[in-house]
Amino acid sequence: MDQYILALDQGTSSSRAIVFDHDGNPISTSQKEFTQIFPKPGWVEHNPKEIWSSQAGVVAEAITLAGINGSNIAGIGITNQRETTIVWDAETSEPVYNAIVWQDRRTSEYCDTLKAQGLVDKIREKTGLIIDAYFSATKIRWILENVPGARERAEAGKLRFGTVDSWLVWNLTKGEVHVTDVSNASRTMLFNIHTLEWDKELLDLFGIPASMMPKACSSSEIYGHTKSTLFAHEVPVAGMAGDQQAALFGQMCTEPGAVKNTYGTGCFLLMNSGEKPIMSKNNLLTTVAWKIGDKVNYALEGSIFVAGSVVQWLRDGLGIIRSSSEVEALASSVPDNGGVYFVPALTGLGAPHWDQYAKGSINGITRGTTAAHIARAALEGIAFQTMDIVRAMEKDAGVPLKELKVDGGASRNNLMMQFQADILGTAVIRPVVTETTAIGAAYLAGLAVGYWSSLDEIRSQWQVERKFVPCMDEAAAESACLGWADAVGRTLTK
């Protein structure tokens, strides 16, 4: 009987399921968008039940499209939007509040209080993270403080916390398994990345009972078996990683110094830093990449909060395109940005600036500026933000970037990828399979159940689809970068 690996890719705007064969080819894919909830300015929520129902729905459809059933699935790998925070009742599995999404800024003022208390260095040393509303800890605390009865129930051991991976496993196993993996745990601001354990001092600081926390496991092991009605057979859930770490693995960035950038809702640039964490001096994050067996890999990460979502804003907010796929043609209709720079700080600025109060800005507008110039400036803004992080990463690692592997939906935009190569002055490489996040989760699960025998077997499957090499005049590239630096300087609030 043919065997396959099923990857669940639970993202910020949609849930997907992809069935992969032994050669790493996607056999079937199903995707469903779900509701984005904005109760107040700066607040972003999802309905946890809708996350689960949309994920369950695409699983059923992908399996049907592939013409298989549960007995054909050797294992399930999960990858997920990180930091998004769900708290639910341990007995009823009912969420006590909506999922608070990683983009949500409601705890920014509390983060300022923590910084004022001099906790920046302590939290960075333990977790590798900077204090920011982005991470899960302040979101959990907000739920406990603001949902009536939540703190009392948590202290009585009745509530559970999880990032989205934990929530999916809980539902797949009907509440039998409460786990996360070390890559997701390292994004909560509650996990000691040196000891690989929940940090009691930080749990106490945020007032979070330890009984709420999932067990932190490796990224490739059998956590449990499905009990859900989705499958007639019990299927092992065997791989888990946060979406960006999964993409790093899917891109086969398994050696120290290898770098990938995922162009999704946000942009996430990760460098494999090997078996020891590099603590950044340039405002990057230090995070756990994955743990396989006893071996842990760490990564340096730069997060850009708004990337592909700026194209959604051009569509929904400005109305200058009807669908996201039109942006490349519109931007290509002008030879350059016409002196326009778009700093897409629509939810603050991430690395390396970390200005949570910054607002988006479009600079250099004249009477001659058209919708095409703004579209082009929006795409270039994504590439410029990536460049800022690469430069910070090169300083931390002490080595220049050799090449940048790219993936994610917006990596299919040839205009932007060429511009990325031009301003970095280095090759940008796009693989044949750009579903690197999902395939990373599939590989982790497949290794755990013996579907693939080794990393070497997996490495042989990675193939280049296109290589973009720099072709812009150096002086022109330098001038463009100076224009960007000026625009960022005008946007920062501090």
Side-chain angles (χ1 to χ4, degrees):
M1 191 186 298
D2 287 342
Q3 293 286 291
Y4 302 90
I5 295 288
L6 173 65
L8 312 190
D9 182 358
Q10 205 299 303
T12 309
S13 54
S14 69
S15 296
R16 296 192 304 159
I18 304 180
V19 176
F20 289 98
D21 68 11
H22 199 269
D23 294 327
N25 297 313
I27 298 302
S28 67
T29 302
S30 177
Q31 180 168 354
K32 185 178 184 189
E33 290 195 4
F34 57 88
T35 312
Q36 306 295 307
I37 303 165
F38 307 103
K40 294 183 183 179
W43 291 31
V44 190
E45 297 176 1
H46 295 152
N47 180 335
K49 289 182 168 180
E50 192 183 1
I51 288 176
W52 167 242
S53 66
S54 63
Q55 189 66 70
V58 293
V59 164
E61 184 169 330
I63 289 170
T64 303
L65 288 170
I68 62 174
N69 61 37
S71 62
N72 300 101
I73 299 170
I76 295 172
I78 294 174
T79 183
N80 55 285
Q81 53 165 317
R82 305 172 304 169
E83 299 95 18
T84 294
T85 297
I86 305 173
V87 176
W88 66 91
D89 186 286
E91 285 184 14
T92 66
S93 300
E94 280 291 313
V96 303
Y97 190 77
N98 275 338
I100 302 183
V101 181
W102 58 272
Q103 298 161 311
D104 189 281
R105 310 307 299 167
R106 77 187 63 184
T107 58
S108 293
E109 285 185 14
Y110 175 61
C111 289
D112 290 341
T113 304
L114 294 172
K115 290 173 191 171
Q117 289 170 358
L119 290 164
V120 172
D121 289 344
K122 174 176 281 196
I123 286 175
R124 187 191 289 255
E125 282 160 17
K126 286 172 178 277
T127 68
L129 308 177
I130 66 142
I131 294 173
D132 194 84
Y134 177 28
F135 306 110
S136 312
T138 62
K139 302 178 194 297
I140 305 170
R141 179 184 177 274
W142 188 93
I143 289 172
L144 295 183
E145 295 287 318
N146 290 275
V147 174
R151 176 159 296 289
E152 291 75 17
R153 289 162 71 192
E155 285 172 358
K158 293 180 177 177
L159 298 187
R160 299 291 178 264
F161 151 74
T163 40
V164 171
D165 55 314
S166 302
W167 175 241
L168 293 179
V169 175
W170 180 273
N171 282 283
L172 283 166
T173 63
K174 291 240 163 113
E176 282 189 14
V177 180
H178 186 215
V179 295
T180 187
D181 91 298
V182 289
S183 74
N184 278 297
S186 73
R187 312 298 299 184
T188 59
M189 218 157 70
L190 297 166
F191 191 69
N192 189 310
I193 61 171
H194 309 283
T195 63
L196 301 184
E197 292 174 340
W198 300 114
D199 191 281
K200 185 177 184 311
E201 189 180 2
L202 293 179
L203 289 171
D204 290 346
L205 171 68
F206 292 101
I208 298 168
S211 59
M212 293 180 72
M213 307 306 288
K215 180 184 177 188
C217 300
S218 78
S219 311
S220 180
E221 65 176 88
I222 296 173
Y223 312 105
H225 292 76
T226 58
K227 300 285 187 294
S228 138
T229 51
L230 276 172
F231 309 99
H233 301 74
E234 289 196 353
V235 181
V237 183
M240 238 167 9
D243 51 11
Q244 304 315 321
Q245 291 97 326
L248 191 70
F249 195 71
Q251 284 276 35
M252 286 293 101
C253 292
T254 53
E255 300 300 318
V259 182
K260 72 89 199 172
N261 192 21
T262 298
Y263 299 79
T265 303
C267 255
F268 299 89
L269 201 73
L270 271 74
M271 173 190 279
N272 186 329
S273 63
E275 294 181 50
K276 290 213 174 92
I278 294 175
M279 302 312 274
S280 175
K281 294 184 174 63
N282 293 283
N283 282 333
L284 300 180
L285 307 175
T286 305
T287 201
V288 178
W290 52 75
K291 181 184 180 192
I292 300 174
D294 294 328
K295 186 176 173 184
V296 181
N297 273 70
Y298 292 89
L300 276 171
E301 175 174 333
S303 315
I304 295 166
F305 295 154
V306 173
S309 51
V310 77
V311 178
Q312 290 176 326
W313 181 77
L314 294 178
R315 180 191 70 193
D316 304 335
L318 280 191
I320 62 173
I321 51 174
R322 279 174 309 210
S323 73
S324 297
S325 58
E326 293 176 10
V327 72
E328 184 171 3
L330 179 61
S332 299
S333 68
V334 288
D336 55 43
N337 64 12
V340 177
Y341 290 86
F342 189 160
V343 184
L346 308 184
T347 55
L349 272 177
H353 308 289
W354 292 108
D355 185 344
Q356 58 190 5
Y357 298 110
K359 301 282 195 295
S361 67
I362 303 175
N363 300 271
I365 298 172
T366 66
R367 285 287 301 271
T369 300
T370 66
H373 290 116
I374 289 172
R376 191 173 184 114
L379 295 180
E380 290 183 358
I382 298 169
F384 279 128
Q385 289 180 100
T386 299
M387 176 196 70
D388 286 345
I389 292 175
V390 166
R391 299 296 177 242
M393 216 164 247
E394 288 174 330
K395 287 179 191 167
D396 276 335
V399 289
L401 179 72
K402 293 201 284 283
E403 62 185 31
L404 179 66
K405 291 181 174 179
V406 299
D407 56 72
S411 71
R412 297 188 191 97
N413 188 309
N414 293 329
L415 175 75
M416 187 165 74
M417 292 303 99
Q418 183 57 55
F419 186 74
Q420 188 73 83
D422 288 341
I423 58 167
L424 284 176
T426 192
V428 169
I429 298 173
R430 188 169 63 200
V432 170
V433 178
T434 54
E435 301 291 2
T436 53
T437 305
I439 204 168
Y443 283 152
L444 289 165
L447 284 170
V449 297
Y451 186 75
W452 288 291
S453 60
S454 66
L455 263 180
D456 287 337
E457 184 184 3
I458 291 171
R459 267 193 210 102
S460 66
Q461 298 182 358
W462 192 88
Q463 295 173 300
V464 175
E465 183 262 327
R466 182 161 172 186
K467 186 173 184 176
F468 298 86
V469 295
C471 60
M472 186 187 280
D473 174 74
E474 268 187 44
E478 191 172 334
S479 172
C481 294
L482 287 171
W484 168 254
D486 177 67
V488 170
R490 293 168 186 272
T491 305
L492 293 170
T493 62
K494 55 187 177 182

